[in-house]
Amino acid sequence: MLHIAPVKSTSYPTLRSCIDDCIQSVAQWQGLDSKFMYGNAWQMLLEEQQAPDQPLIERIRLPRIDTGYLAAYHGLTFKYMERSEPAMDKSYMLDLLENQLSSGMPVLVGFDSYDCPWCVAYRRLHTSHACLAVGLDREKSLIYLTDAYYGKELEAVDFGILDGACHFYALFGRCEPSRSCADWQHVLQDMLTSPANAVRPDQVGSQLRAYANAYLETGITADGSAEASSAFKIYANALPISRIRFSLFLRLLEREGHAPVLSRAAEGYRHAGEQWELVNQFMIKGMCSGNKPEARAKLHKNMCKIISREEQLLEELADLMITAQTSR
């Protein structure tokens, strides 16, 4: 049995990810941090509508956590895998869990929260949830889970139930960090100008504005049920979570790189995350009260204010890099 304390990735109960919580729990257990994996969280892309009935909120594309940065800056590896043949086989999964736990590392297991008794979505909504597998009793067919998202230190679950609901997993490991955060200007430049980025910093505003304009035009409709509101939150919360993530990255870079000049941007992105969460709440309110055009227009105005602030923050970060380069 591995004794890993459940650690929350942020102090915001509604603005965090179960996967982030799992990674932060393992990182802290190993005496590490993990927040450089959020270095690309400033991005946002609005995809073209794929079908007439595709909900607006499902067109938002945000970057996943960057496992390359996690390894390079923190020395923690994280290998995410969808379950497919032969990994769908129960014996394969039991052997994998046993081997990994014997090596002294937990396994992240992702499953349908519809089958998880302590999840709020239990028997109500099909969605993904993730926990850490920290122990295994093959003879009794029990797997022991730590759930940082819900603050569960140890839960014994019949492996047959988990096996039927599990659709992805991830393996942890250790490596030697290959990058330093001492030169914060270089780190920030890498995060903002990497060729792997889906959008450039100067394109984020137009993507966010396209999202706001699409909401103004059509709004978001639903049947008003609790299930519809929960499903909306799952997709919609990704945007505020991404802004909180980038704020956490900037705070860590500020501390580790001795760069108090980043404090303003970190605070700005924290505030943006909170503001986008409020937008979501008003969207749900509008969705349940008839999707009225006047309510959409009012919310659109507030969305544009948040977007202008994000554009300003990215411009300030770009200016900081330019100033740092010219002063060398």
Side-chain angles (χ1 to χ4, degrees):
M1 188 80 67
L2 302 178
H3 300 286
I4 302 176
V7 177
K8 306 254 186 325
S9 54
T10 82
S11 59
Y12 298 93
T14 59
L15 291 180
R16 65 175 197 271
S17 157
C18 54
I19 293 178
D20 293 26
D21 289 352
C22 287
I23 295 173
Q24 182 63 23
S25 296
V26 174
Q28 189 160 314
W29 173 61
Q30 291 285 304
L32 306 170
D33 209 319
S34 65
K35 297 180 181 66
F36 274 89
M37 67 181 179
Y38 299 149
N40 59 3
W42 52 270
Q43 298 182 66
M44 185 275 187
L45 181 67
L46 185 71
E47 292 187 337
E48 294 293 329
Q49 192 169 20
Q50 300 300 309
D53 60 345
Q54 183 186 21
L56 169 62
I57 210 71
E58 293 183 19
R59 292 167 53 196
I60 295 176
R61 288 293 174 266
L62 297 157
R64 283 188 171 185
I65 53 176
D66 195 307
T67 57
Y69 289 149
L70 180 67
Y73 288 100
H74 297 297
L76 183 67
T77 63
F78 180 78
K79 187 177 181 181
Y80 178 95
M81 303 179 71
E82 295 282 350
R83 280 193 74 182
S84 57
E85 298 296 343
M88 286 299 294
D89 179 74
K90 182 177 180 179
S91 296
Y92 177 93
M93 285 299 296
L94 284 168
D95 289 344
L96 180 146
L97 287 162
E98 192 168 61
N99 292 337
Q100 187 76 358
L101 290 168
S102 296
S103 74
M105 276 293 182
V107 176
L108 181 146
V109 288
F111 51 92
D112 191 339
S113 51
Y114 185 87
D115 296 307
C116 180
W118 61 87
C119 287
V120 295
Y122 180 61
R123 295 294 183 255
R124 293 177 57 244
L125 186 67
H126 291 281
T127 183
S128 291
H129 187 52
C131 296
L132 291 174
V134 295
L136 179 68
D137 187 331
R138 290 190 76 151
E139 185 176 337
K140 296 181 180 179
S141 191
L142 290 176
I143 184 170
Y144 295 92
L145 304 176
T146 292
D147 189 334
Y149 188 86
Y150 285 105
K152 301 282 186 178
E153 293 191 4
L154 198 65
E155 291 286 340
V157 178
D158 184 280
F159 184 77
I161 296 174
L162 179 73
D163 182 60
C166 180
H167 54 93
F168 69 91
Y169 61 94
L171 306 180
F172 292 91
R174 288 293 303 270
C175 66
E176 284 297 320
S178 59
R179 300 186 190 181
S180 168
C181 57
D183 185 353
W184 67 266
Q185 299 97 330
H186 181 77
V187 174
L188 190 59
Q189 182 178 24
D190 179 50
M191 302 296 189
L192 294 178
T193 63
S194 170
N197 294 338
V199 297
R200 299 190 310 269
D202 62 356
Q203 296 173 320
V204 172
S206 63
Q207 294 294 313
L208 286 168
R209 203 162 276 110
Y211 167 52
N213 292 342
Y215 173 74
L216 175 64
E217 182 179 349
T218 62
I220 295 174
T221 58
D223 58 15
S225 65
E227 289 76 11
S229 294
S230 296
F232 170 84
K233 287 179 181 178
I234 290 169
Y235 284 99
N237 270 358
L239 181 56
I241 286 171
S242 69
R243 274 50 195 155
I244 295 295
R245 281 173 166 176
F246 194 56
S247 172
L248 292 171
F249 158 72
L250 290 171
R251 284 294 183 197
L252 184 59
L253 186 58
E254 174 192 358
R255 188 181 78 226
E256 298 297 321
H258 306 289
V261 70
L262 296 178
S263 177
R264 174 180 164 85
E267 180 63 18
Y269 269 96
R270 181 195 65 78
H271 184 67
E274 294 172 347
Q275 291 299 301
W276 281 118
E277 184 187 28
L278 283 174
V279 165
N280 291 345
Q281 293 173 15
F282 280 107
M283 281 185 174
I284 292 174
K285 184 178 178 180
M287 182 173 66
C288 297
S289 59
N291 193 29
K292 297 174 182 177
E294 58 270 23
R296 299 204 307 267
K298 184 176 180 180
L299 186 55
H300 176 266
K301 185 176 180 180
N302 290 330
M303 293 169 77
C304 288
K305 289 180 180 178
I306 305 171
I307 294 165
S308 294
R309 180 60 178 145
E310 281 205 30
E311 287 180 313
Q312 182 183 352
L313 289 169
L314 283 169
E315 287 174 5
E316 289 175 1
L317 289 173
D319 289 343
L320 283 175
M321 292 189 303
I322 294 171
T323 301
Q325 289 171 354
T326 56
S327 63
R328 289 182 179 179

